[in-house]
Every structure is written in structure tokens, then in C-alpha cells.
């Protein structure tokens, strides 16, 4: 099992001018505490929508790498998005799921990945050129390194512990949008 903080800290170090869209759960709190930056677009309440937003970003900004940081519960709520990502297949897209196998935010109800659901296999079947499942920090780091060294779309399922960090990003959508647009030079 991967310590969620160590995984997110490793990823945060890799970011250059990448656009990041963070899912509504603890993934968002983790990346906010690991490395808040204007290029991070945090979703509040919009469960399942991070990959839909991130796919749009990747297609609209092909010159920038786009990292979708997702939760298992959120992705399972909008699983069909994997088919669209695999079909449109932007080479600048990396979709990482921090899979803690529960809905941590709402009381730790188990998700389908606590059972047989294999998100990496589903992503591969949906057309991702690379889809890996990481159960150790070394495997996660290796997958991230490979994703950063070549073209995607990449899907990484990281089996993580439940997050302990809980720092809250700004909640104003207007503020988040404006600072994101400014970072893109479109403000
Ligand atoms: C459509 C919808 N249903 C339910 C919720 C309530 N909700 C907020 S976060 C969450 C769980 C998210 O689970 P996961 O993506 O696995 O992230 P974690 O909480 O484990 O970090 C739920 C059910 C919501 N925001 N939207």
C-alpha cells in the first residue's frame, strides 16, 4: 500500500507548467497541501467531473501537459469518461487515480474497487495507450516517471492509504477560475 502523502508529494515535485485538475475528494486537499499553484484547478462538489474537465483542457491546450488527479469514488461515478478519454487520446493527458477504495469524504463507504473492479484494466480496455496499477511507492514513482518521459494518454491507478492532510483550497469558483486563466495568460 502506498502512503497517499508520499505519492502526492512525489507527483507535486514533477509538475512544471502542467495544468492540474483535482477531484473533489481528499485528492484535492492533498495536492493543495503538497503544492498549491495557480495552474491547479480544484473542483468542489462536482463529483466525477475532473476527467471531463481535464480532457477538455488537454484538447484545448495540446502544448501543455494536463494531469487529472482523481478519486476512485468520483471516477466510478463517471466511468464512461474513460471511454471518451481513450477515444480522443490526447498525448498530453495523464489521469491518476488515488484509489483508497472508499468514499473517504462522506464516511468511508466502500467503493467497487474494494471489490473486483480493476480501473487500470478498464482504462486499458477503453483505449489508453498506457495503463498501470501501482501497489508500492516505487511502482508509482516508476509509472509517473515513464508518463513524464513519453507520450500518453496515461492512466495510473495508485492504491493508497486514506489521506491525513485536510487543507482546504479556496472555495470561490470565481477566484479559482480567474487565477487559472491568469496562469494560462488568458486572464
Ligand atoms: C453527485 C454527488 N453525489 C454525492 C456527493 C457527495 N460526495 C462528496 S465527496 C464523495 C466521495 C468521493 O469519493 P472519492 O472520489 O473516492 O474520494 P475520497 O472521498 O475517498 O477522497 C461523495 C459521495 C457529491 N458531491 N456529488
Amino acid at each position: 500500500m502506498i502512503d497517499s502523502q508520499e505519492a502526492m508529494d512525489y507527483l507535486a515535485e514533477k509538475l512544471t507548467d502542467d495544468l492540474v485538475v483535482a477531484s473533489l475528494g481528499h485528492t484535492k486537499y492533498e495536492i493543495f497541501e503538497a503544492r498549491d499553484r495557480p495552474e491547479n484547478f480544484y473542483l468542489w462538489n462536482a463529483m466525477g467531473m475532473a476527467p471531463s474537465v481535464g480532457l477538455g483542457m488537454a484538447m484545448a491546450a495540446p502544448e501543455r501537459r494536463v494531469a487529472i488527479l482523481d478519486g476512485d469514488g468520483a471516477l466510478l461515478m463517471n466511468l464512461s469518461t474513460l471511454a471518451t478519454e481513450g477515444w480522443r487520446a490526447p498525448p498530453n493527458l495523464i489521469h491518476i487515480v488515488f484509489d483508497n477504495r472508499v468514499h473517504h469524504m462522506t464516511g468511508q463507504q466502500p467503493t467497487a474497487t474494494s471489490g473486483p473492479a480493476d480501473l487500470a484494466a478498464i482504462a486499458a480496455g477503453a483505449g489508453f495507450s498506457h495503463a498501470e496499477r501501482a501497489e508500492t511507492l516505487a511502482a508509482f514513482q516508476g509509472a509517473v516517471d515513464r508518463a513524464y518521459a513519453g507520450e500518453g494518454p496515461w492512466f495510473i491507478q495508485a492504491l493508497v492509504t486514506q489521506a491525513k492532510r485536510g487543507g482546504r483550497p479556496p472555495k470561490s469558483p470565481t477566484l479559482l477560475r480567474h487565477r487559472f486563466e491568469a496562469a494560462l495568460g488568458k486572464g
Side-chain angles (χ1 to χ4, degrees), residues 59-85:
M59 293 176 70
E63 72 288 356
R64 303 279 281 264
R65 187 182 287 108
V66 175
I68 299 164
L69 312 185
D70 215 349
D72 48 299
L75 177 56
L76 287 161
M77 181 167 271
N78 188 19
L79 201 53
S80 59
T81 196
L82 288 178
T84 313
E85 292 169 85

Side-chain angles (χ1 to χ4, degrees), residues 24-27 45 47 71-74 77 100 102-106:
L24 81 168
H26 280 266
T27 303
N45 301 325
M47 188 166 174
D72 48 299
M77 181 167 271
N100 60 13
V102 293
H103 294 121
H104 188 178
M105 288 280 287
T106 50

